[in-house]
Amino acid sequence: MLDLRQYASLGAALKDALERWPNETCLIEADRDREKVRLTYSDFKEMAQPLCRALEDADFKAGDRSAIIMTNQSKWLISAYAILFCGGVLVPLDYKLTALEHLELLAHSKARFLVVEYYLWRAITQLPEFAQLGVEIVLVTEAPAGADLHGAYRWEEFRRKGDPKFVVRQREDTACIVYSSGTGGRPKGCVLTHDSYLEQCASLTAWYPFWPGVRYLSILPTNHAIDFMVGFIGPFVCGACVVHLRTLRPEFVRDAFVRYRISYVSLVPMVLKNLERGLRAKFDELQPPKRWALNRLIGLNRMMTRRRPRLRLSRRLLPEVHKAFGGALRALIVGGAFTDPATLQFFYDLGIPVACGYGLTEACTAVTLNDLKPFRADTVGKPLPGTEVRVLNPDGEGVGEVAVRSRALMSHYLDDPEMTAQTIIDGWLLTGDQGRFDGDGHLQLCGRKKNMIVTAGGKNVYPEDIELVFDGLGLKEFCVFAANFLWPQRTLGDEKLVLVLRLDEGQQIDDRLREEIGSRNRRLADFKRVAGYLLWEKDFPRTATLKIKRGELAAQIAESATRAQMVQI
Amino acid sequence: MAVPTIDHTLDEILNLAALHFKVPREKLTPDDDFFKTLGIDSLQALDLLTRLEHHFQIELPDYELQGVSDFRTLANRIQARL
């Protein structure tokens, strides 16, 4: 791999990667079972240079913010490369947000350029708020012939001949602004420097190296912190190959493992669980003697890999299972949310190493990771090299708030010094997560101190961000909380949001109101919906400026109501 | 071949969803939130989409399901491609 200590910016490292391995395949894009693109590092350079040159001609300047809203595909990485080559700041936005949320984040980030897929652009242009879009240049990919692009350029035609000039950036310059959450409420744009990414990449590849020939299957959205690092920067600076799959259909994901002999893949717990369900269903179809033999082999593999993974041995013991994953899988990287230890153990017992970790966007990508020496299903691993982790104010069981210090941390939240000051204190990032260290230096997470949930799909949801949808409900007042924030429990997983309702004097909850709540709830993306409501009979405590005192209200609710009083919506 | 009516398409979708997720057909209605009624996550919803593609002999990109959570809207998306 490249020696990242020698580089001042992501752009510089990526530029050298394209020179270093010209004939290695760096990118494959497949849609279902159809391969659409296959590029060597040299091809990639040839595709990217005319875009870099066109950006130059469009007066693209160092530090210009450029958003990307796309599903995983080759044009995502080519565009990101061009933006970084030209000294820009990348703003990767989640394509699963609504068009209105995209507009809000484009405005918040003050993006000057935007690269967007046609179907997403079409949705944005249909909103009345589109008139206020401040982006100057928009590049739309895969637009049908004759489509009205509302002043945007076709990505495929935005090209100029000639050699572009590389724009030098320094380690302390901003590389990316990544939104950890926050639309409709208070957007949290994590400002990450080139130093953050280069340091984080060096730490991660020290434990999980890539090399030419290694293939990484990219199915998490590339805007996600994990995939941006492990599905773009990491493989590229090591000469490895990224495989993009433009569908998440389980049958095509399974097929891609085999077709491309995948070495690594990053997954959120929901996808891992889905794979587990598929495998268990297959095992259940086996005739009793075969099932008995399989169980014996799994037991033997478990015993033989107790201290460390032994890939060759596991592949020989359980060839059918490993063939189903392509036969070249080195590890599943799992993060983004709480993962059931039983699921992790299930895969490890099959001889498939699972690198379970813990991270947050504010810390670039990962804070801790399982080094598999030995595998532990009950922890999120040890701090990565160069990362310090402390448990603040531990209780009798050693549990306290997890704090992190490293060069990979974000420098601040965009345009929010108040929230930055609350989150980073004396160089330590307060994560809001509760945890403890065990005797072997492994971190165990035990709950959350902050008022938010993380879904099994790895999405952060902050209650304040979804309250807007309930505005104007015919009642006195309402507030949304994470159920675990009201009633803390020493576990993670199955996290829910609860809508607290204060009715008007003499008002009763009736079918009309219940229906209205349900209908508004359905307007939210499925992972953002509240699970239930709680009737509250006192006025909410408020500040002099009439803001709800959430902490005080939460304490009152925790004292006088129980989780069981929540009514399912 | 004549394009089926939207009501017919909707009915076929409800039948297939009931069959695929093993729930009584009478428990499903067009405006149901299928994530909630069927108790499924977004990946299982994609599984259903594959089943529907085979049945209607069309191809639906994953993004057609983005923001869709009720059978009626799903039927409209499918109808547009028949």
Side-chain angles (χ1 to χ4, degrees), chain A residues 334-500:
Chain A
V334 182
F338 168 78
T339 315
D340 181 2
T343 299
L344 298 173
Q345 193 68 53
F346 170 78
F347 282 97
Y348 190 76
D349 289 347
L350 295 175
I352 300 168
V354 193
C356 181
Y358 160 64
L360 52 176
T361 311
E362 285 81 349
C364 196
T365 310
V367 171
T368 63
L369 196 55
N370 205 306
D371 62 1
L372 305 176
K373 296 173 185 172
F375 167 74
R376 294 273 305 272
D378 59 332
T379 81
V380 288
K382 295 176 185 171
L384 282 165
T387 303
E388 293 173 82
V389 180
R390 273 168 55 187
V391 172
L392 304 178
N393 308 315
D395 63 13
E397 293 172 49
V399 176
E401 183 174 5
V402 177
V404 184
R405 185 163 70 175
S406 86
R407 280 169 64 179
L409 295 189
M410 67 168 183
S411 64
H412 58 282
Y413 285 119
L414 182 67
D415 298 335
D416 202 333
E418 189 192 348
M419 202 188 303
T420 304
Q422 288 166 4
T423 309
I424 302 179
I425 296 175
D426 296 333
W428 288 89
L429 174 79
L430 308 185
T431 65
D433 294 317
Q434 301 275 91
R436 70 172 158 227
F437 277 107
D438 70 5
D440 298 321
H442 279 249
L443 182 67
Q444 290 177 308
L445 293 179
C446 321
R448 232 178 279 293
K449 195 181 159 192
K450 57 195 168 187
N451 187 19
M452 55 101 64
I453 64 166
V454 181
T455 69
K459 304 272 189 195
N460 294 355
V461 186
Y462 286 81
E464 295 91 325
D465 294 342
I466 62 158
E467 283 177 353
L468 205 62
V469 84
F470 296 104
D471 264 355
L473 271 179
L475 42 75
K476 191 165 189 186
E477 52 192 348
F478 70 89
C479 188
V480 180
F481 282 104
N484 287 355
F485 181 70
L486 296 175
W487 304 290
Q489 49 185 19
R490 282 271 165 108
T491 56
L492 286 168
D494 193 27
E495 298 186 70
K496 291 184 169 79
L497 293 173
V498 54
L499 176 65
V500 179

Side-chain angles (χ1 to χ4, degrees), chain A residues 533-545:
Chain A
Y533 67 81
L534 178 80
L535 291 175
W536 186 245
E537 293 185 348
K538 293 182 212 156
D539 284 344
F540 292 172
R542 289 183 180 265
T543 65
T545 54

Side-chain angles (χ1 to χ4, degrees), chain A residues 32 95 248-249 529 569, chain B residues 33 36 53 60 62 66:
Chain A
R32 302 182 176 223
Y95 67 83
L248 276 178
R249 308 281 174 98
R529 291 177 193 161
I569 293 176
Chain B
D33 177 337
K36 203 175 150 195
E53 281 183 339
L60 279 164
D62 288 5
Q66 203 168 311

